[in-house]
Amino acid sequence: MRVLAVALAVAGLAGQAPVAHADGARDRQWYLDRMDVDKIWKKTTGGGIKIAVINSGVNPSTPA
């Protein structure tokens, strides 16, 4: 029974996610504050914005 308990404990530890090492990365990205990214992010949902893709077709004489 003890072997089963140890095996279950080891299996539980093996399934845990690794510790995140980028926790402080946002603090070092000073330029995001200068750009006022939080304000920009609120307007980047794309709602009400139309996008056009202009395509002139294929030019078969373009070298590969």
Side-chain angles (χ1 to χ4, degrees):
M1 194 59 140
R2 188 174 190 177
V3 174
L4 179 60
V6 171
L8 290 174
V10 170
L13 292 176
Q16 292 182 352
V19 176
H21 294 286
D23 288 339
R26 172 68 166 91
D27 296 332
R28 292 190 306 269
Q29 295 173 342
W30 56 268
Y31 49 87
L32 296 177
D33 292 329
R34 286 238 174 119
M35 291 171 27
D36 204 5
V37 169
D38 293 327
K39 186 176 177 183
I40 293 171
W41 183 253
K42 292 176 185 177
K43 296 185 180 205
T44 59
T45 61
I49 297 173
K50 294 181 182 178
I51 297 176
V53 177
I54 300 170
N55 185 355
S56 61
V58 176
N59 184 353
S61 63
T62 303

